[in-house]
Amino acid sequence: MVVGSLPVELWRVILAYLPLPDLGRCCQVCRAWRELILSLDNTRWRQLCLGCPECRHPNWPSQPHQEPPSWREALKQHALSTRTWTQNGPELQSSACLLFFRRRKDRRVWHVGPGCEFETLRGALGVVGPYDRVVLHPGVYEDQAEVALKVPVELVGLGRLGEVALLVCMEQQCPTARLCNLVFMPPWFSTVVYKTSWGHVQLDNCNFEGAQLQIRGPGTCQARFCSFSQGSSAHLLGVVLSLLDSCDFSGSDTASVTVEGPPVSERNWACKHLAALARTFPSCGASGNNSPPRGPLAGSTGGHQPPAGNVKKEPVSIDDWQRRTGVDAVCQGTVIEDGWSDGDRSDGEEENRDGGGTNKNPLLLDYKIPCDHHGLSHLLKPQPDGSLPLASSPDPPSLTPETLTLQQELDRDPEALMFAASTLGCILRRCLFREGKGGVHLSNYGQARLEDNVFRGLNYAVRCIQNSTIVMLRNEVRECRASGVFLRLSAQGLIAENNIHSNGEAGLDIRKGANPIIVCNKIHSGLRSGVVVLGNGKGSIRSNQIYNNKEAGVYILFSGNPVVSGNHIFQGQAAGIAINENGRGMITENVIKENQWGGVDIRRGGDPILRNNYICYGYSDGVVVGERGRGLIEGNHVYCNKGCGVWVMSSSLPQLLGNYITHNCMYGLAVFCRKDPENIEAREGNWPGQDGIGGEAGSRERRGVEGEGREGQENLNEEGELFAWESDLDSEDERHSAHRSISVALVESNCMSYNGAVGLYVKSSEPLNVFANLVNSNRGTGIAVLQSSQLTRLVTNCILENGRGGVAVEKDCRVELRGNGIYKNSGHGVGFSGNGQILENDFVGNRGYGIQVSGSADIKVMRNRVQPVQGFGVAVLGPVKGVVHDNLLFQGHPGNKKALLHIDPGNESCVLRNNNVLRHNSCTSAPPWVLENPPPRPLASSPSGLSSSQYPSRLAISMTNRISATVESGCHSGSMFCSIL
């Protein structure tokens, strides 16, 4: 018979009447016939698959309306799975092998029911031979004592599921058995309806109602298309391997599946067959797209020189971002403190604003002293490819690292790869857990693997405690009333490519020494935090998408110490990452963006390492270091945040090293203190200009503080579990042994550029060292010190081309300026009204005065080099005390008629001595002036007189020299936007 003799459509109609064995024979005729038979997938193969009484829809119970990729393949997998229970034959002795096959071929079928051979199940089981089939006719079968299965047997219910019910307790005492199309209900004397301790049981299309299935190792179980309802559960003790596939668990009073105890060393015959079935499931690295939903700016962030790997490039304009977020008004003349504004110019600055323009006579341009080759000039030079470096680019960064795929994570992490390949313990795949108390509970070294399951409407989805191991791949965990996944007491494992969302508490809760690997998940839309790590919890949290959670995306507290790396944490309604209550952690290479509060919030003893992160486009501050916060903040890119780049309370100053803090709408780095008794409004967070900037943000943040504070208490004792935190936490000696105590906070080697207000704003009662920073092109003053009751040291910084003055020091502040280069600012080089020293600095090209000292300051101005564009070189105004000597002053613009060294006539307490003034001489052709011996400051080497303990090299920073800042009570000030947890 030739296929082409009839139309293909007609052949399909004819073949649709063939039973399954005949379809198989037709496939073996020829290639054309095989292709014709395979083309019946959506018709005949679908009909055969759905018509099989021993199975249900291939995607039941979680997605019963979704078509499988192939109905024929689904039917094939079902046929192979249903025969597992008969695969123990090859293990028999060779002399008995023929007997085994004969019994399989000649096995009998026994009928049980009214009018049949046997009326009771016990009677039939007393006469059956090995591998016989017992068919139970519709009815209810009850037994008053435990029933034992002593030979391999198959029990099958006749008719539709639900028509045959067993009220019995069965104990399997044979190597294998199969039960199909039955309903199990508990008898009066036991809730356990089926148990085995060494054989293998296969359950197909069965219902458990208020009953318990108990498997004890080395016994094994394979359950497919089964329902566990009305408080039913499966309890697996010490199992080596069991497989629960496409089962429905609902209405549980406790956990639906409990896995307890380590796998026993003994193996039964079914283990290798179950392992082969487990390996037929798709590989963990072959999943679909794990990318998040694109937010308004999901692809527009990045940083300077991102790590090699996946990088997404998309140009972005700062003006366009300001228009979209409505922040332009914030960036101009921002008023933060009563009586001071970076939007106001001094008399000297206004006087010289119009007189400092470029002279049209080219013969007079050589009066400008070149100062471009200072020690930090490499940060401003164009790249070899012609692009501008981050410090000198007027636009924000346009590169953002993407999260790694699961396969990339497995390739670089052998431990995660080992977990992904493991198949020990209980394997649950494509199951549905719903409307109950718990999903899966592991304890006492238990092991489980969960793939493509759905957990919804439970108290919790997964609970893993007591050194147990969990592998979760591609599951959906949603709408749990508490946290989605709990890990406690040294639990471990791999949690990858799951969709965890809309849970009442944290998506993942890690405590008490638990140390899981959490990679490539979507954790979002939670009513609390995304991931919580506390109570000495650890873990590696990498390459996840964490977004749109009501509280912090990642919340670390009570000595939690995870590694948080390579994640995208965005669009949260609170902080991106919050660390407090002595939380720690290594937080590296994350993209933290578009969060409503601080990108990273550190306070109350939080002590993380925050390194190489991209913290951007937040609706508040980039990094917040609040009361008693500590930590190392190094190499981060903090940009385009609506508030400050970094906001720090002076009582809890961390170390800030090598960060790029750019294009933020307010201050680049702000150091605040609440010890100002006059500033009642600031104490309450109601600062001038707040209404126009934040609206209800202040009250919203204060409410947030209270709410997050409750999480640190309420959520510690979930489900009545009491934790003795004092015994769980590390001892003080252990916790602080890794930190070298440093009494003065450090801001070193940072770049603060293109911020909307002051580059570095200081209002502090604690000492502060500011070394080797580049502060350039900010709209306000480069560095403003409004309060500094203890010494603030500004050493070897470059303060360049800022929109107001270079440095402003207010009354009663103690400040030392040494070795700085202060160039081309639009106001004074330095306006100084406090007490301190101005030693060995270069002031060149500033539009206002080079140095203005005013008020009742007590100051030393020594060995500086000064060239103003217009105005005085050094101006001493008012009753200033101190000395001005050994300074070198160069005339600026030839039209400048002001004295280079000016002192008020009535001042008798300031001593001028040995100052050298150089003016232009039009009669001689003298060589142009240059700064030499030394070259333009800041110099490339570290400042003289500083020991290694005072000035640690950036390259030498490690876990052992992080700060332990001094703490004073009562020093607390709220950021304009950020107040977290």
Side-chain angles (χ1 to χ4, degrees), residues 46-56 75 78 82 205:
R46 183 180 187 275
Q47 184 182 14
L48 290 171
C49 188
L50 294 178
C52 178
E54 299 177 358
C55 71
R56 309 189 194 189
L75 186 61
H78 166 71
T82 55
N205 199 30

Side-chain angles (χ1 to χ4, degrees), residues 3 6 31 65 74 116 149 208 346 376 418 480 525 622 701 794 841 873 938 941:
V3 173
L6 288 175
R31 182 176 299 175
H65 304 295
C116 300
L149 300 182
F208 290 79
S346 67
L376 299 179
M418 177 194 70
C480 293
S525 306
E701 287 156 14
L794 308 178
N841 303 280
S941 60

Side-chain angles (χ1 to χ4, degrees), residues 287-299:
S287 65
N289 184 17
N290 194 41
S291 62
R294 286 180 64 87
L297 298 170

Side-chain angles (χ1 to χ4, degrees), residues 372-453:
D372 296 333
H373 299 290
H374 50 79
L376 299 179
S377 61
H378 61 280
L379 298 174
L380 300 167
K381 294 178 180 179
Q383 304 292 331
D385 60 359
S387 61
L388 292 175
L390 188 61
S392 60
S393 173
D395 292 322
S398 58
L399 295 176
T400 177
E402 294 182 337
T403 56
L404 299 180
T405 65
L406 178 57
Q407 190 58 55
Q408 290 172 321
E409 286 286 359
L410 297 180
D411 289 343
R412 70 176 193 169
D413 187 344
E415 184 181 8
L417 184 61
M418 177 194 70
F419 284 130
S422 66
T423 55
L424 282 180
C426 178
I427 300 176
L428 294 102
R429 62 188 190 190
R430 295 181 296 217
C431 295
L432 173 63
F433 297 81
R434 57 188 174 91
E435 286 80 42
K437 181 176 181 181
V440 179
H441 178 89
L442 288 83
S443 63
N444 193 23
Y445 295 90
Q447 297 188 27
R449 181 184 181 95
L450 283 59
E451 302 180 41
D452 287 277
N453 303 285

Side-chain angles (χ1 to χ4, degrees), residues 327-345:
V327 298
D328 190 60
V330 183
C331 300
Q332 303 193 25
T334 306
V335 180
I336 300 301
E337 298 293 338
D338 292 330
W340 191 89
S341 169
D342 69 343
D344 297 333
R345 295 178 181 272

Side-chain angles (χ1 to χ4, degrees), residues 84-103:
T84 304
W85 76 285
T86 64
Q87 300 297 312
N88 67 327
E91 294 184 359
L92 301 176
Q93 297 294 330
S94 58
S95 59
C97 190
L98 293 178
L99 176 63
F100 166 73
F101 283 109
R102 181 183 62 79
R103 286 184 176 178

Side-chain angles (χ1 to χ4, degrees), residues 756-793:
V758 176
L760 170 59
Y761 179 97
V762 179
K763 188 173 183 183
S764 168
S765 60
E766 303 290 337
L768 176 66
N769 285 342
V770 182
F771 295 153
N773 299 279
L774 175 62
V775 185
N776 69 295
S777 304
N778 298 286
R779 290 194 180 185
T781 304
I783 299 178
V785 184
L786 272 70
Q787 175 183 324
S788 178
S789 56
Q790 298 194 48
L791 182 62
T792 295
R793 304 184 68 198

